[in-house]
Amino acid sequence: MTRHRSFEVQLENFRREAATAAQYIYADMAIQHAASNSKKLVHRLNDTPTFWLSCTAAFQSSAYISLGRVFDTTSKYNVAALLDAMEKNLDLFQREALASRKRDGKEIDPPWLSEYLDGAYYPTIKDVNRLQAMVDKYRAVYERAIRPARNKYLAHREKEDHTEVKALFAGGTVRELWRLTTFLYQLHEVLWEQLHNGRRPVFRPLRHSVKSIYDATNQRTSPHERIVADVKKLMHFVETATPND
């Protein structure tokens, strides 16, 4: 088996790309959210406008390029290749393979292992097909809202007219971008838990609104929440710091 056919290699690559896209998207939007709530912060940001405009452009370009790598089927590493590797390596998710991972190199089975394996979930092709249907739903969002801008403006400057460029970015909504990004994180978590812990692939609710995350008193460990927490600290510093003469 070539390296890119390995499910575990595909899963780790997918994790990196999904996290990268989430960090860029939510960093940019968290700055905008913070600025919308504070005239003082806007004034401070406007002291160095070129820098912050450059950040916005860099965040957006990098996010769209990462999402392109996730959905571009011509790449060796993309979400379609990930699910294809899962389908071709379903034995990796079955009882004996899970038992081997849980033994962790020990020659004697731990006393809890048999009961654990009895309660584990072992996926079938139906599970792969269900995940593929979910991916297809978000692929449609990517094709409509992300791919045109990525391919015709960010990666290849085919459009220059302001009206045409604006139209490239008008194919979707902010909420769709949030849900697309957080779905990728959820998909990675579901597949990781299935592989390592034999857990049924269930998608649990996840906060996606920048406002709800920014205003929350606690941030969770997902990439998009961590970056929002970091931006919140930075914006507080920018707003409250005493200028140096």
Side-chain angles (χ1 to χ4, degrees):
M1 178 185 295
T2 56
R3 177 173 170 78
H4 74 275
R5 296 290 184 186
S6 163
F7 176 79
E8 292 170 281
V9 170
Q10 287 284 349
L11 185 62
E12 174 57 20
N13 186 78
F14 178 71
R15 180 196 66 78
R16 290 196 300 266
E17 294 295 356
T20 297
Q23 288 165 353
Y24 288 137
I25 289 168
Y26 276 83
D28 181 37
M29 292 187 177
I31 294 171
Q32 295 181 37
H33 173 73
S36 71
N37 289 330
S38 171
K39 291 183 179 179
K40 181 179 179 181
L41 177 59
V42 171
H43 179 72
R44 288 284 178 87
L45 297 179
N46 282 337
D47 284 339
T48 52
T50 305
F51 173 78
W52 295 107
L53 289 173
S54 297
C55 285
T56 291
F59 286 147
Q60 186 177 64
S61 296
S62 298
Y64 276 43
I65 289 170
S66 290
L67 290 174
R69 287 197 292 261
V70 168
F71 287 101
D72 185 358
T73 56
T74 63
S75 169
K76 288 183 178 180
Y77 302 100
N78 64 81
V79 68
L82 172 67
L83 294 183
D84 182 63
M86 181 182 183
E87 180 179 345
K88 287 180 168 59
N89 295 276
L90 274 177
D91 58 322
L92 190 64
F93 297 86
Q94 303 312 307
R95 185 184 181 101
E96 189 49 45
L98 179 60
S100 178
R101 288 191 289 275
K102 288 301 180 183
R103 290 187 188 105
D104 196 25
K106 298 181 177 64
E107 294 183 3
I108 300 176
D109 287 355
W112 50 264
L113 182 59
S114 180
E115 184 178 357
Y116 184 95
L117 295 173
D118 288 343
Y121 182 81
Y122 304 104
T124 67
I125 189 62
K126 289 184 179 180
D127 293 291
V128 180
N129 291 339
R130 182 174 71 88
L131 294 174
Q132 183 62 63
M134 298 176 73
V135 168
D136 288 345
K137 171 186 172 183
Y138 286 97
R139 181 181 294 282
V141 175
Y142 167 77
E143 294 289 343
R144 167 171 48 83
I146 307 297
R147 188 172 183 271
R150 177 188 182 271
N151 287 3
K152 295 185 178 182
Y153 183 72
L154 298 175
H156 309 284
R157 196 58 57 91
E158 295 181 15
K159 303 291 184 181
E160 285 290 347
D161 179 76
H162 176 73
T163 301
E164 291 182 325
V165 172
K166 186 176 180 180
L168 291 176
F169 287 91
T173 66
V174 170
R175 187 171 296 276
E176 284 181 318
L177 187 58
W178 289 342
R179 290 195 176 278
L180 170 60
T181 308
T182 52
F183 165 73
L184 297 178
Y185 170 76
Q186 289 174 303
L187 178 59
H188 171 267
E189 292 300 288
V190 160
L191 293 175
W192 193 94
E193 289 290 346
Q194 175 67 85
L195 177 67
H196 293 282
N197 296 318
R199 292 183 180 174
R200 184 182 295 272
V202 175
F203 285 72
R204 293 174 174 78
L206 192 68
R207 288 190 297 213
H208 61 269
S209 163
V210 169
K211 181 180 186 305
S212 67
I213 299 168
Y214 197 98
D215 295 345
T217 56
N218 65 313
Q219 268 74 39
R220 297 162 189 165
T221 59
S222 55
H224 70 299
E225 295 218 12
R226 288 201 309 270
I227 195 65
V228 170
D230 285 353
V231 169
K232 186 175 182 178
K233 291 177 184 177
L234 176 60
M235 293 299 101
H236 176 73
F237 175 77
V238 171
E239 183 176 5
T240 61
T242 302
N244 189 332
D245 292 336

